[in-house]
Amino acid sequence: NAGVTQTPKFRVLKTGQSMTLLCAQDMNHEYMYWYRQDPGMGLRLIHYSVGEGTTAKGEVPDGYNVSRLKKQNFLLGLESAAPSQTSVYFCASSKGGAGGIYNEQFFGPGTRLTVL
Amino acid sequence: AQSVAQPEDQVNVAEGNPLTVKCTYSVSGNPYLFWYVQYPNRGLQFLLKYITGDNLVKGSYGFEAEFNKSQTSFHLKKPSALVSDSALYFCAVRDGDDYKLSFGAGTTVTVRA
């Protein structure tokens, strides 16, 4: 049981380049989330999904897109990277169902992205 | 809108002493509160949560937290800190049926031997 995994672990991009971050979970969780972590700001929600084929915007969605084609995977895309997107990105998942929003989230190890 | 404040950037304690990490929150509906811990270069790990019921919540690794509605606080406590408790701690709140979980800025705990 690997839990939540993220690829890649590190990436350096030039301004304007694009990339996709992959998140996978093997816990059969319905809900999945993408956060970014910046010093002194905690974690901020970028996008989330409450089920396969559904996505929604979080607190800081601009410049990012997501897709959830399979229940176990949640992809985060940067179409045209900017230096302001330099951050550590975390994926998380949690159980759904009745009372699902009260369940704790399980986090991946993170992806450290630098945009030059 | 929901928000969380962790008033202390850093907390330093000696091993064996009590540890307290403070958290206050603001919500418009019912608060659902969580504590997470992050070790260096790792993802966040769940410690405990308050949804309803007993105001004193017990969690992993000997941690507990007390929900205080009148003071809108949810402070994390451990009676006897260990060096291995040194980490970054985050408080988070969910407002009613909102899917969004709002995190505080985090408190760095250092436990000295």
Side-chain angles (χ1 to χ4, degrees):
Chain A
N1 189 339
V4 180
T5 58
Q6 294 181 233
T7 53
K9 288 184 172 50
F10 303 94
R11 187 72 185 268
V12 178
L13 290 179
K14 295 181 179 178
T15 296
Q17 287 184 321
S18 64
M19 77 163 294
T20 300
L21 282 66
L22 172 62
C23 175
Q25 53 93 5
D26 61 2
M27 297 174 282
N28 202 34
H29 286 170
E30 285 75 18
Y31 303 163
M32 295 188 75
Y33 314 82
W34 275 107
Y35 294 91
R36 59 177 290 172
Q37 182 181 24
D38 302 293
M41 301 186 71
L43 275 74
R44 292 181 291 169
L45 182 65
I46 303 171
H47 286 280
Y48 65 95
S49 167
V50 299
E52 183 178 320
T54 70
T55 63
K57 294 180 180 180
E59 185 182 0
V60 288
D62 293 342
Y64 305 94
N65 57 75
V66 288
S67 64
R68 183 123 181 248
L69 299 179
K70 293 183 179 181
K71 184 177 184 179
Q72 64 268 32
N73 296 337
F74 196 29
L75 278 62
L76 178 71
L78 286 72
E79 292 186 346
S80 179
S84 61
Q85 294 177 304
T86 293
S87 187
V88 181
Y89 292 85
F90 287 99
C91 177
S93 70
S94 64
K95 290 182 183 178
I101 63 171
Y102 310 135
N103 292 322
E104 59 271 25
Q105 296 179 13
F106 292 78
F107 284 79
T111 294
R112 189 172 295 274
L113 175 66
T114 301
V115 183
L116 302 175
Chain B
Q2 64 212 46
S3 65
V4 173
Q6 293 182 240
E8 299 162 318
D9 291 337
Q10 293 199 9
V11 170
N12 298 305
V13 298
E15 189 172 34
N17 281 1
L19 169 63
T20 299
V21 186
K22 296 180 180 177
C23 171
T24 59
Y25 66 90
S26 174
V27 297
S28 56
N30 291 321
Y32 303 106
L33 295 148
F34 301 79
W35 275 103
Y36 289 85
V37 60
Q38 184 181 30
Y39 298 101
N41 300 313
R42 303 285 295 275
L44 278 69
Q45 297 178 27
F46 169 75
L47 281 178
L48 51 79
K49 66 182 177 183
Y50 171 82
I51 302 302
T52 186
D54 194 346
N55 289 342
L56 183 63
V57 178
K58 294 188 182 296
S60 307
Y61 313 121
F63 283 94
E64 59 187 30
E66 185 166 11
F67 172 66
N68 188 318
K69 188 173 183 177
S70 62
Q71 297 186 3
T72 62
S73 66
F74 189 56
H75 301 330
L76 181 71
K77 299 180 180 181
K78 187 170 184 179
S80 178
L82 301 172
V83 172
S84 58
D85 293 328
S86 298
L88 181 57
Y89 290 79
F90 290 100
C91 182
V93 67
R94 180 171 268 138
D95 187 351
D97 292 337
D98 193 340
Y99 285 102
K100 177 172 167 285
L101 191 62
S102 294
F103 284 83
T107 299
T108 299
V109 170
T110 302
V111 182
R112 60 185 185 277

